[in-house]
Amino acid sequence: MKTIPVNVNVLNRNSEVAARVNERLTAAGIKMINLLGTPGSGKTTLLEAVLGCLEVDRNSVAVIEGDLYTAQDAERMEALGVRTIQLNTQGACHLEADMIERALDELDLEGVRTVVVDNVGNLVCTSEFELGEHLRVGVSSVTEGNDKPFKYPLMFQTANMVLLNKMDLLEFTNFDTDRFVADVHSINESAQIVFCSAWKRTGLESVVSLFK
Amino acid sequence: MKTIPVNVNVLNRNSEVAARVNERLTAAGIKMINLLGTPGSGKTTLLEAVLGCLEVDRNSVAVIEGDLYTAQDAERMEALGVRTIQLNTQGACHLEADMIERALDELDLEGVRTVVVDNVGNLVCTSEFELGEHLRVGVSSVTEGNDKPFKYPLMFQTANMVLLNKMDLLEFTNFDTDRFVADVHSINESAQIVFCSAWKRTGLESVVSLFK
């Protein structure tokens, strides 16, 4: 049997486009944040908290929403008056850099200093694809359990900041925060780990600072 | 416990292999359950609850654990004395039917009446691949939020039974169970919806009955 290394070719081509996206944004003085996490980890609620209630200038931020089919998350962003574009993957499990490139063509970037990509909810595939981001923020939550960093390592390995979300539910679980910190740092020594509750809007100071 | 390193073959004709797996199991009087859900939804904890504490004959069950790299979940099953085989996808996001076929070749099926596949944690890709199962059980949890059935419809559309897990945390969230039931039934009229807490071992009667 002949084996064709399809994945490698796809990833190489994607990296080239990602580099182009990154150059374009950097030249325009715009920072791009790639927000990753499993479905229900709280990515969009985090953005609502940061953009809706905190002292971020909403005109300086644009959001690219990645979803399979719906525009639910984009509608949540638009309700806050934030410039938003919806990317629907029609069932595909991740975003690729060429989708971001097309989204940037459509977005009005006048006055924008930060572009956030709210990636498809997926702890496996999304992390494999660079989108041209300057920063990766990975969202995990205490209700997902302690075993995630080793079971799904790529997001934790490649994130600049790892948010441990839903800290308001910590006392009702058997989640061990010390173990989580040790596990994440064992695979990514330099990751900044932040405990927060997007819903209760606590612990978000260092996330907010990324948007300024 | 045996570990089979799996290389995903993209040219695999998955449905044909799935049909072959299904025929083989049916002929042997064995039922296969495909357990699906996002990382942290509680699939393995559910199996621990069903196999560890309830009145299921553990010798009549075999478990196929799907994971990217680790054998953590298989070890949890083996600790209960259940026949288990680990499939590692080496980073790939789902299982395919040929992996199940190879696992069945390795498993001692003497006396087994139920094979459970504890699929890779992924709410997108896993549902696209039939494995030859007789039943699909989809696990969602109240901490994931209400929007999952429409945002990630395929699992909910194709599941025979949908478990709403982590009901012990319901009171600390804004999750609306009536809306969940209505949303799931709007895309899958015949799905049986079960409220449970795998961790607290409540509401599991109808799941247990699948294993008998």
Side-chain angles (χ1 to χ4, degrees):
Chain A
M1 181 181 66
K2 198 173 175 182
T3 302
I4 304 171
V6 174
N7 204 33
V8 174
N9 290 340
V10 170
L11 288 174
N12 284 345
R13 191 188 158 274
N14 183 72
S15 291
E16 286 171 22
V17 181
R20 201 159 67 211
V21 168
N22 187 277
E23 269 174 38
R24 172 180 171 181
L25 289 168
T26 305
I30 297 171
K31 174 170 63 180
M32 188 160 87
I33 299 170
N34 186 358
L35 193 58
L36 299 162
T38 196
S41 56
K43 298 180 292 302
T44 311
T45 302
L46 178 83
L47 286 181
E48 283 181 324
V50 169
L51 298 174
C53 287
L54 300 168
E55 331 80 81
V56 170
D57 173 9
R58 295 179 207 182
N59 293 318
S60 73
V61 179
V63 178
I64 299 174
E65 282 289 348
D67 267 306
L68 306 186
Y69 306 106
T70 75
Q72 291 183 24
D73 290 350
E75 286 160 9
R76 287 166 68 181
M77 289 300 109
E78 288 198 327
L80 299 172
V82 179
R83 266 174 274 190
T84 307
I85 196 155
Q86 179 71 54
L87 292 177
N88 280 140
T89 64
Q90 302 304 324
C93 56
H94 61 272
L95 298 177
E96 298 187 17
D98 63 343
M99 303 177 192
I100 302 302
E101 194 165 49
R102 295 203 306 265
L104 292 175
D105 290 340
E106 300 288 333
L107 268 170
D108 171 15
L109 293 172
E110 182 67 34
V112 167
R113 292 195 305 275
T114 309
V115 171
V116 193
V117 180
D118 187 5
N119 216 313
V120 175
N122 188 328
L123 203 42
V124 184
C125 318
T126 50
S127 303
E128 292 175 23
F129 292 83
E130 296 170 53
L131 302 179
E133 67 268 26
H134 300 86
L135 279 175
R136 276 192 181 195
V137 177
V139 185
S140 195
S141 69
V142 298
T143 51
E144 293 167 28
N146 258 113
D147 53 359
K148 298 304 165 286
F150 289 145
K151 285 188 66 180
Y152 304 91
L154 196 59
M155 183 188 86
F156 297 94
Q157 275 166 353
T158 60
N160 303 93
M161 180 185 279
V162 173
L163 301 184
L164 182 62
N165 193 20
K166 307 192 188 177
M167 284 294 286
D168 54 300
L169 297 177
L170 181 67
E171 63 183 298
F172 310 114
T173 71
N174 59 357
F175 194 91
D176 180 340
T177 53
D178 290 342
R179 185 182 144 200
F180 181 80
V181 170
D183 288 353
V184 172
H185 279 158
S186 77
I187 57 178
N188 181 354
E189 210 177 326
S190 64
Q192 183 184 359
I193 301 175
V194 175
F195 296 169
C196 67
S197 167
W199 190 36
K200 300 295 183 185
R201 296 180 170 169
T202 57
L204 296 172
E205 297 75 9
S206 48
V207 187
V208 169
S209 70
L210 298 180
F211 288 75
K212 288 186 173 175
Chain B
M1 179 177 62
K2 286 182 183 169
T3 299
I4 304 176
V6 178
N7 294 313
V8 177
N9 175 4
V10 292
L11 303 177
N12 181 357
R13 296 161 81 179
N14 186 69
S15 291
E16 285 176 23
V17 181
R20 199 161 67 210
V21 167
N22 187 278
E23 271 176 37
R24 172 179 172 180
L25 289 168
T26 305
I30 297 172
K31 174 169 64 180
M32 188 160 86
I33 299 170
N34 187 357
L35 192 59
L36 300 162
T38 196
S41 56
K43 298 180 292 303
T44 311
T45 302
L46 178 83
L47 286 181
E48 282 181 325
V50 170
L51 298 174
C53 286
L54 300 169
E55 332 79 81
V56 169
D57 173 9
R58 296 180 206 181
N59 293 318
S60 73
V61 179
V63 178
I64 298 174
E65 283 289 347
D67 267 305
L68 305 187
Y69 306 106
T70 73
Q72 291 183 25
D73 290 351
E75 287 160 7
R76 287 166 67 181
M77 289 300 110
E78 289 204 323
L80 299 173
V82 179
R83 267 175 273 191
T84 307
I85 196 154
Q86 178 71 54
L87 293 177
N88 280 140
T89 65
Q90 305 301 326
C93 57
H94 61 273
L95 298 178
E96 297 187 18
D98 66 337
M99 304 176 192
I100 302 301
E101 193 164 50
R102 287 164 58 192
L104 293 175
D105 290 340
E106 299 287 336
L107 268 170
D108 171 14
L109 293 172
E110 181 67 34
V112 167
R113 293 196 304 275
T114 309
V115 171
V116 193
V117 180
D118 187 5
N119 216 313
V120 175
N122 188 328
L123 204 42
V124 185
C125 318
T126 50
S127 302
E128 293 173 23
F129 292 85
E130 295 171 55
L131 303 179
E133 68 267 26
H134 300 85
L135 280 174
R136 275 193 182 196
V137 176
V139 185
S140 195
S141 69
V142 297
T143 51
E144 293 167 29
N146 259 112
D147 54 359
K148 298 304 166 285
F150 289 145
K151 286 189 64 180
Y152 305 90
L154 196 57
M155 183 188 86
F156 297 94
Q157 275 166 352
T158 60
N160 303 94
M161 180 184 281
V162 172
L163 301 185
L164 182 61
N165 193 22
K166 307 192 188 178
M167 284 294 285
D168 54 300
L169 297 177
L170 180 67
E171 64 184 298
F172 311 113
T173 71
N174 58 357
F175 194 91
D176 180 340
T177 54
D178 290 342
R179 185 181 144 201
F180 182 79
V181 170
D183 289 352
V184 171
H185 279 157
S186 77
I187 57 178
N188 181 355
E189 212 177 324
S190 64
Q192 183 184 358
I193 302 176
V194 175
F195 296 169
C196 67
S197 167
W199 189 36
K200 300 294 183 186
R201 297 180 168 167
T202 59
L204 296 172
E205 296 76 7
S206 48
V207 187
V208 169
S209 70
L210 298 180
F211 288 76
K212 289 184 170 173

